[in-house]
Amino acid sequence: MQQSHSPIILGNWKMNSSSQNARVFFETFKNTITNKELEKALVGFAPPFTLLDKVSSFIKEFSINVILGSQNIHWAESGAHTGEISASQLKEFNTKFAIIGHSERRTMYGEKNEHCAKRTIQAIKEAIIPVLCIGENESEYKAGKTKEVVTKQLHESLSNVKIDVKENHTYKLIIAYEPVWAIGTGLSAEPSEANTICKLIKAELFNLFGLNIPVLYGGSVDDKNTSSLIEQDRIDGFLVGGASLKPEVFSSIIRKSTT
Ligand code: PGA
């Protein structure tokens, strides 16, 4: 592993769970992993908006060493933006990161690279870590266009994004490389192929910002493929969907990523 920081393991709960299920999740999670183990990674959860308050209080109640995230963030401070959420609303619950441009938002709800760029700029301005998602779809993958597609998405989604290198945040930006065909399908990318793309993304990011920005892999990560993926030298961690709803499996992913 050639990581400059600890692995980053973020759970995306998507439109799943409830107050009751979230409580059961954290009760079980607490019993399957120790804070000492959690200290070896940066671990976070992005529940639905309706659970930000609850999850924030469970993190405190159970004293779990994880951070809270959101599945979106709007570029405006407030106003007529039905269905969106602002940085100040997120910060009320101590939200530390925001997923931006997830492929489900891009493919089902018309999220464009230009929206992602505006969301990313706002997140950075408000000191919320943007977790920008990019990745090719199945036909692009089969046509051998992954590098081209991912590079274009990266550049357009980071258009006009500036990072103040003097700002004292450990993580200013995180990229999640998520091949669309691997999300929720049980078909994770080949570790070496994922690594090649993460390497390309890291090089592009270094050219843009002069910084080593963490790049996560996402797409059917589970406790069986964790070790072979984290062994790769350019994969800094994971954005986990389905498996992040299963406390034992998620704990096992964290453990395997840090040992
Ligand atoms: P998955 O989802 O782990 O269920 O494939 C990943 C994601 O959508 O971020």
Side-chain angles (χ1 to χ4, degrees), residues 43-47 51-53 55-56 59 66-70 90 93-97:
V43 178
F45 292 92
L51 292 179
L52 286 170
D53 191 7
V55 172
S56 163
I59 290 172
V66 299
I67 59 170
L68 181 64
S70 142
L90 293 175
F93 304 109
N94 202 21
T95 305
K96 299 289 189 205
F97 71 93

Side-chain angles (χ1 to χ4, degrees), residues 3-128:
Q3 288 152 348
S4 52
H5 13 63
S6 322
I8 301 167
I9 323 276
L10 305 177
N12 173 12
W13 281 7
K14 308 191 181 185
M15 198 173 71
N16 294 299
S17 200
S18 62
S19 310
Q20 178 57 25
N21 287 349
R23 169 171 281 283
V24 172
F25 177 95
F26 283 107
E27 278 169 356
T28 315
F29 184 65
K30 176 81 187 157
N31 291 331
T32 53
I33 194 143
T34 63
N35 272 338
K36 213 166 160 47
E37 287 175 297
L38 287 170
E39 268 166 28
K40 296 186 201 159
L42 176 69
V43 178
F45 292 92
F49 299 150
T50 52
L51 292 179
L52 286 170
D53 191 7
K54 281 281 176 202
V55 172
S56 163
S57 61
F58 294 150
I59 290 172
K60 278 197 216 111
E61 182 184 333
F62 297 112
S63 314
I64 307 174
N65 196 357
V66 299
I67 59 170
L68 181 64
S70 142
Q71 297 174 20
N72 202 355
I73 179 171
H74 197 263
W75 52 87
E77 315 238 325
S78 62
H81 299 286
T82 304
E84 290 281 341
I85 195 153
S86 73
S88 59
Q89 290 169 330
L90 293 175
K91 288 206 279 197
E92 261 199 275
F93 304 109
N94 202 21
T95 305
K96 299 289 189 205
F97 71 93
I99 297 173
I100 293 173
H102 188 278
S103 74
E104 285 149 19
R105 296 224 51 86
R106 290 176 183 266
T107 55
M108 290 190 262
Y109 307 106
E111 182 88 9
K112 299 271 179 288
N113 290 332
E114 68 198 73
H115 301 135
C116 296
K118 286 159 79 172
R119 296 185 196 282
T120 303
I121 289 167
Q122 178 70 352
I124 291 173
K125 177 170 160 254
E126 295 293 333
I128 290 178

Side-chain angles (χ1 to χ4, degrees), residues 136-138 178-189 217-221:
E136 81 288 358
N137 64 28
E138 190 175 13
E178 301 204 297
V180 179
W181 49 269
I183 297 177
T185 58
L187 278 177
S188 150
Y217 167 78
S220 297
V221 173

